[in-house]
Structure formats: structure tokens, C-alpha cells
């Protein structure tokens, strides 16, 4: 636990999340930021996703992130739930990109589609952006998953104690 005094806000307590708590945050979220890199250049984009233990499933289209992840499959997903500057939760899942092409991943693609379909407008981010660029041209959806290797997270909450300064317990 870390106690931090935030000017104008008061005392904030920051705790590390256990893996199960990180999983619960990812289960409840649907929008995150995907991080990938190529040639020491990072790239971060918003994505809609669905989490189940061990995997994060995503519908996408072909583009820069896909090119980069095919070359360097090490990726991460960041998710935040922010109430205010002293009350927030943040989770980062690290893992490996795995594309799910037909026909060898037909079952996995259908599983991903079913999971994603439970979310409102799950397809909009991926297909809407590409529609703006390509107009009426046919858009081929691309399913992929992140095979999760590790998850870390922090949760901050205000503390009622007065007069505390930056301390670590």
C-alpha cells in the first residue's frame, strides 16, 4: 500500500491488485488501449475487446497495428476505470498476439464472435474506422486474440486520514 497526498484532493491510498482482481476488471471492461511496437517505436490504439481467463479477443481489420503485431507479437492492453483523480483502477495485461485466420481457427473465431456479440456495438470501432477510409469497398474482418502472460493492476481510493504525507507501508 502506498499513501499519497494529492494537492487539493487529500490522501489517496494505492493498492496492488491480485491477478483475480485484474481479471475481474478486464471482464467488466470492453474498451481498452492496445500497445504494440516495431523497431523501438510504440503504437497505441483504442480497441473493443472481451476477456476470458487466459485470452483477450478482438475484432479488427488489417492495418498498421496488424502489420506491427505480425512482426512483433509482444503486446499489452491497458484498461482504466477512472472515477476522479483520487479514485481509479488501472490494469495492464501483457501477452502475445495470435491471429485467428480461417479455416484453421474456425472454432476460435466463432467463440470470439459469440463473446464479442454480447457487447453493445462491438464491431463499430474496427469496421467504422475502416469504412471512413475505404467507403463502400469490402472490408474483411480480422479476429485475433492476446494470449495473456501476465496482468498487473493498481487501485486508488481516497483515505479519510488527515496530515499524512508521501509514505509507503
Amino acid at each position: 500500500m502506498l499513501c499519497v497526498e494529492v494537492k487539493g484532493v487529500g490522501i489517496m491510498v494505492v493498492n496492488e491488485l491480485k491477478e483475480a482482481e485484474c481479471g475481474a476488471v478486464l471482464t467488466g471492461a470492453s474498451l481498452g488501449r492496445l500497445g504494440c511496437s516495431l523497431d523501438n517505436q510504440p503504437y497505441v490504439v483504442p480497441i473493443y475487446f472481451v476477456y476470458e481467463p487466459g485470452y483477450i479477443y478482438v475484432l479488427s481489420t488489417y492495418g498498421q497495428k496488424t502489420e506491427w503485431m505480425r512482426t512483433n507479437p509482444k503486446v499489452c492492453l491497458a484498461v482504466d476505470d477512472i472515477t476522479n483523480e483520487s479514485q481509479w483502477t488501472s490494469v495492464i495485461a501483457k501477452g502475445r498476439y495470435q491471429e485467428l485466420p480461417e479455416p484453421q481457427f474456425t472454432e476460435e473465431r466463432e467463440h470470439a464472435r459469440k463473446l464479442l456479440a454480447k457487447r453493445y456495438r462491438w464491431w463499430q470501432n474496427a469496421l467504422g474506422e475502416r469504412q471512413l477510409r475505404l467507403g463502400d469497398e469490402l472490408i474483411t474482418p480480422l479476429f485475433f486474440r492476446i494470449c495473456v502472460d501476465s496482468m498487473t493492476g493498481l487501485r486508488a481510493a481516497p483515505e479519510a486520514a488527515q496530515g499524512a504525507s508521501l509514505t509507503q507501508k
Side-chain angles (χ1 to χ4, degrees):
M1 173 173 53
L2 176 69
C3 293
V4 180
E5 185 169 2
V6 180
K7 189 172 181 154
V9 175
I11 306 299
M12 177 176 63
V13 179
V14 180
N15 288 297
E16 286 187 46
L17 299 179
K18 293 181 169 71
E19 187 170 323
E21 294 171 304
C22 292
V25 171
L26 292 176
T27 298
S30 58
L31 180 64
R33 290 175 311 282
L34 174 71
C36 57
S37 68
L38 184 65
D39 298 328
N40 294 317
Q41 177 62 53
Y43 184 59
V44 178
V45 293
I47 60 167
Y48 283 105
F49 70 93
V50 67
Y51 169 79
E52 70 174 11
Y55 299 103
I56 296 165
Y57 290 96
V58 180
L59 169 73
S60 184
T61 57
Y62 182 77
Q64 179 175 323
K65 70 181 171 299
T66 311
E67 287 179 27
W68 286 28
M69 291 186 299
R70 285 175 175 172
T71 303
N72 178 7
K74 293 181 181 180
V75 298
C76 68
L77 177 75
V79 172
D80 297 304
D81 180 13
I82 302 170
T83 302
N84 58 50
E85 61 187 31
S86 66
Q87 188 171 354
W88 48 264
T89 303
S90 181
V91 171
I92 296 178
K94 296 177 186 176
R96 294 163 281 108
Y97 168 79
Q98 182 183 27
E99 204 164 313
L100 303 174
E102 291 282 12
Q104 64 266 43
F105 288 99
T106 300
E107 289 179 27
E108 291 87 346
R109 287 171 63 94
E110 182 59 19
H111 180 67
R113 191 195 61 72
K114 285 180 180 176
L115 290 173
L116 287 161
K118 295 177 184 177
R119 304 293 175 113
Y120 178 70
R121 295 188 172 197
W122 59 277
W123 46 266
Q124 191 170 27
N125 202 34
L127 299 181
E129 180 271 338
R130 197 61 62 193
Q131 186 76 36
L132 283 173
R133 290 185 189 189
L134 300 177
D136 291 335
E137 194 173 314
L138 183 61
I139 300 168
T140 304
L142 181 145
F143 285 95
F144 71 87
R145 66 183 172 190
I146 299 169
C147 303
V148 178
D149 294 328
S150 66
M151 295 185 287
T152 59
L154 297 174
R155 176 171 288 131
E159 181 175 276
Q162 298 297 316
S165 60
L166 183 61
T167 59
Q168 187 164 2
K169 297 181 181 176

